[in-house]
Amino acid sequence: MQTKFIFVTGGVMSGLGKGVTTSSIAKLLQLADQKVSCVKIDPYLNYDAGTMNPVAHGEVFVTEDGGECDMDIGNYERFLNQNILKSHNITTAQVYSSVIEAERKGEYLGACVQIIPHVTDEIKNRIRKIAEDEKLDFLIVECGGTVGDIESLPFLEALRQMRVEEGPQGVIFVHVTLAPSLDVVGEQKTKPTQHSVQELRRIGIQPDFLAVRCTLPLEEKTKQKIAMFTNVTPKDVLSCHDAKSIFQVPQMLYDQGIMDSIFTKFGKVGMVNTSTKWDQWNKIAENMVNHEDQKINIAMVGKYVTLADSYVSVNHALRHAGAKTGKSIDIDWIDSESITDYSVLSKYDGILVPGGFGTRGSEGIIQTANFAREKNIPYLGICFGFQLAAVAFGRYVLKLEDANSTEIKSDAMNPIVDLLPEQKDISDMGGSLRLGANEIFLKDNTNARKIYHRSVISKRHRHRYEINKKYIPEFEKNGLIFSAESDNGKRMEILEIPSHKFYLGVQFHPEFNSRPGFPEEVFEAFVKASTEK
Ligand code: GLN
């Protein structure tokens, strides 16, 4: 069995939804009973997304095996309902590190080490290794950036070489572009697409498909014109017009015949579509948009709220839970640094504090956690939101002087949250947190246990600090219990206040396990509690 490759490139500008196109094609192939996965190439020089600012680049998505990845990996996982390993996020830094390491070991036997062939070989090896290790029918590779960028050249060159090596029935290219119209009734312009395909052809890549972003469906004459200038068959110029939800994009592409074209190009004719799977997916996709009449309002109070993408998995997880509960979720992002009047939080059905790092904005989170507790408003704290809920309880219920996390105040008199012992000697910032999935043990007769219906769960982590065990007896005496732990009782994983309507904090990141149609249990419980009057 030979894996077929689909390479997705981007033209004109960023933000056109290359990730959604990639995920949608993968979803269609999965619905046609093919074993598929996706890869994201990020041509930047960071080794991984771990050290990148979420406000500028969007969320850092954590994989089961502890990769700190680009948020597109999260899109793939959600669309495919399948876990993806960190090897699927390839960066320039990883490629060059491997090449330089091999050179230092003398593995190139005296050769002059160059971008072609050494760097391009390393890129191709990484892609092929994933295909082989996972025995895939199809691997969809999304190349980040826009054609014409200096950074992505070695990657595009590697993809071009793969087309030659695998043959036209082994590799196809999909190029994502834009057909802007200058006003609502205006003509759809084709020039940006023409130019960006020219740029692609200049480096030796002829696209097989164009996925053209536009507001209204691409007109027939626009398709014809684009086709003529780009050497792509008109039926393979696909309209990717605005949709109510990203989950409608697979159907949109399917209706334009993309699957027949893909299978024909790969010489695989007569592929079947298993309709039961389609029905299941369509039900999920429909359910994700159909609850406009029943809204609940959630306040998300955090540090990186100026960019919605910085908590993209949390937003999705809330919506998955909403769809299952029959509610649409309105999220207001509130900056924990600028909030001063906490009474504005009273109007919300629930308050969620997501992850975060560092001092700035932390006081606002502590006050928010305290406000939710005092006013009996459903509260879900994730990671930082869990740690600082414990700090708030230490300060305002246990009345511990100068209670804090040592991340915020290193010499706090009462360090409720402290550095993980194994972190004490670490100085590197990249890849050094407690990362990835770990087993968590839930205690009997707790809300946590009720929510998960089982005693052991596995969840993903990304943190450097943890609850200081010294304070646990006092917490538990005063009504806050730790209902889950990990690493033989060394670390606290869930806190809850049983007398509260819903007050739960989790050290792990449940958002990374939530999928459309299958919301993560804690989110479902939180949304349910937020709907109860
Ligand atoms: N800053 C905290 C820690 O390092 C929380 C991390 C997070 O919220 N992801 O432990």
Side-chain angles (χ1 to χ4, degrees):
M1 185 206 65
Q2 193 90 42
T3 306
K4 306 284 185 190
F5 297 96
I6 300 179
F7 297 142
V8 181
T9 56
V12 184
M13 62 185 212
S14 62
L16 292 182
K18 236 183 319 163
V20 174
T21 308
T22 305
S23 312
S24 298
I25 295 173
K27 186 73 207 177
L28 288 170
L29 288 161
Q30 187 192 53
L31 288 169
D33 254 351
Q34 303 297 300
K35 189 157 190 245
V36 296
S37 195
C38 297
V39 161
K40 174 75 193 293
I41 289 174
D42 279 307
Y44 46 64
L45 280 174
N46 300 62
Y47 193 84
D48 57 32
T51 55
M52 289 167 98
N53 181 348
V55 175
H57 301 276
E59 148 190 295
V60 176
F61 186 85
V62 181
T63 57
E64 286 287 307
D65 61 342
E68 295 179 286
C69 295
D70 182 85
M71 60 177 193
D72 276 319
I73 301 289
N75 267 329
Y76 307 154
E77 286 205 354
R78 284 186 285 271
F79 262 85
L80 296 177
N81 188 17
Q82 144 187 327
N83 290 339
I84 286 181
L85 298 171
K86 64 179 170 193
S87 57
H88 290 232
N89 192 186
I90 303 175
T91 65
T92 296
Q94 291 164 19
V95 171
Y96 275 76
S97 297
S98 301
V99 171
I100 292 167
E101 201 180 303
E103 187 274 334
R104 290 290 78 185
K105 285 188 189 149
E107 287 173 12
Y108 294 113
L109 306 173
C112 169
V113 182
Q114 296 182 298
I115 293 184
I116 303 172
H118 302 100
V119 166
T120 47
D121 279 353
E122 175 63 26
I123 295 167
K124 292 187 291 183
N125 290 344
R126 280 176 181 248
I127 294 172
R128 288 196 172 108
K129 184 167 188 312
I130 292 168
E132 273 165 33
D133 286 355
E134 298 177 23
K135 300 190 173 47
L136 299 170
D137 298 316
F138 287 89
L139 181 59
I140 333 283
V141 180
E142 174 186 352
C143 185
T146 308
V147 53
D149 294 348
I150 292 178
E151 292 194 323
S152 53
L153 271 176
F155 291 102
L156 294 174
E157 168 59 17
L159 303 184
R160 183 197 69 77
Q161 292 173 17
M162 278 186 75
R163 161 88 154 210
V164 177
E165 291 161 3
E166 306 277 327
Q169 292 208 334
V171 168
I172 61 177
F173 280 92
V174 178
H175 189 54
V176 180
T177 70
L178 172 75
S181 20
L182 297 184
D183 56 60
V184 190
V185 285
E187 182 190 10
Q188 290 171 325
K189 297 292 188 188
T190 65
K191 198 65 89 187
T193 301
Q194 292 180 37
H195 279 168
S196 115
V197 174
Q198 271 171 24
E199 192 68 24
L200 202 57
R201 284 158 63 178
R202 209 166 58 79
I203 54 175
I205 295 171
Q206 165 63 47
D208 299 278
F209 288 95
L210 295 175
V212 187
R213 279 289 288 123
C214 39
T215 40
L216 296 172
L218 211 56
E219 288 166 29
E220 195 45 43
K221 68 169 200 277
T222 322
K223 277 193 184 183
Q224 295 288 347
K225 190 167 175 192
I226 289 176
M228 187 174 64
F229 278 101
T230 58
N231 234 357
V232 174
T233 329
K235 72 170 178 25
D236 294 336
V237 178
L238 304 163
S239 171
C240 296
H241 41 276
D242 289 353
K244 218 164 152 193
S245 131
I246 53 172
F247 300 109
Q248 294 170 337
V249 179
Q251 183 76 53
M252 184 188 290
L253 295 174
Y254 182 80
D255 292 343
Q256 296 177 70
I258 188 175
M259 292 309 278
D260 287 342
S261 270
I262 288 180
F263 287 135
T264 311
K265 284 184 205 297
F266 283 130
K268 288 188 169 197
V269 269
M271 302 298 305
V272 277
N273 270 310
T274 36
S275 53
T276 47
K277 287 195 179 157
W278 261 106
D279 291 348
Q280 236 175 33
W281 166 253
N282 279 339
K283 215 180 276 158
I284 290 171
E286 245 169 65
N287 209 19
M288 289 298 296
V289 284
N290 277 352
H291 308 286
E292 285 306 315
D293 47 330
Q294 295 225 36
K295 280 195 195 310
I296 62 165
N297 296 306
I298 301 293
M300 199 143 117
V301 186
K303 297 191 58 166
Y304 317 120
V305 289
T306 46
L307 182 78
D309 271 351
S310 36
Y311 296 118
V312 62
S313 293
V314 177
N315 302 342
H316 277 291
L318 281 172
R319 302 219 152 91
H320 302 156
K324 178 119 181 237
T325 323
K327 305 281 177 205
S328 94
I329 312 279
D330 252 4
I331 305 169
D332 279 349
W333 290 280
I334 297 172
D335 185 354
S336 62
E337 199 181 7
S338 52
I339 180 169
T340 45
D341 177 12
Y342 293 91
S343 68
V344 296
L345 297 173
S346 304
K347 65 170 194 248
Y348 291 98
D349 301 307
I351 298 172
L352 190 154
V353 174
F357 293 84
T359 309
R360 190 175 54 77
S362 57
E363 197 51 42
I365 293 176
I366 296 170
Q367 297 309 323
T368 298
N370 194 49
F371 186 85
R373 182 185 57 77
E374 283 180 353
K375 303 287 181 210
N376 206 27
I377 303 171
Y379 176 87
L380 175 59
I382 297 173
C383 208
F384 211 36
F386 155 85
Q387 296 171 356
L388 297 190
V391 168
F393 197 87
R395 259 195 221 173
Y396 301 108
V397 180
L398 307 184
K399 307 268 188 269
L400 296 170
E401 198 182 331
D402 195 26
N404 218 326
S405 160
T406 53
E407 177 177 9
I408 296 162
K409 192 165 183 234
S410 55
D411 60 350
M413 273 166 69
N414 282 295
I416 307 275
V417 176
D418 201 4
L419 207 53
L420 295 165
E422 63 271 33
Q423 288 278 338
K424 300 228 152 121
D425 297 320
I426 289 179
S427 58
D428 272 6
M429 292 304 276
S432 59
L433 292 97
R434 179 181 183 228
L435 289 166
N438 301 79
E439 275 196 337
I440 294 166
F441 298 86
L442 311 179
K443 297 195 184 132
D444 286 343
N445 305 317
T446 59
N447 285 331
R449 185 64 201 270
K450 256 186 248 146
I451 289 169
Y452 281 108
H453 303 292
R454 53 194 191 278
S455 57
V456 188
I457 55 175
S458 169
K459 296 286 162 186
R460 304 180 196 180
H461 293 81
R462 182 171 187 249
H463 64 119
R464 223 182 276 285
Y465 293 80
E466 64 177 352
I467 299 292
N468 184 343
K469 284 185 73 178
K470 167 175 130 190
Y471 295 97
I472 295 175
E474 251 192 284
F475 270 111
E476 307 217 319
K477 246 189 270 154
N478 287 279
L480 181 151
I481 61 159
F482 289 94
S483 48
E485 57 187 41
S486 61
D487 288 349
N488 291 321
K490 270 210 307 236
R491 307 186 205 296
M492 296 303 110
E493 293 279 357
I494 304 183
L495 67 73
E496 55 187 80
I497 299 179
S499 61
H500 192 280
K501 189 172 172 191
F502 183 96
Y503 200 92
L504 202 95
V506 290
Q507 178 61 77
F508 52 88
H509 287 272
E511 67 272 27
F512 298 137
N513 292 106
S514 194
R515 310 276 166 84
F518 310 95
E520 207 280 343
E521 289 90 334
V522 154
F523 281 92
E524 195 179 338
F526 169 65
V527 166
K528 234 184 230 149
S530 304
T531 62
E532 283 157 16
K533 285 286 161 242

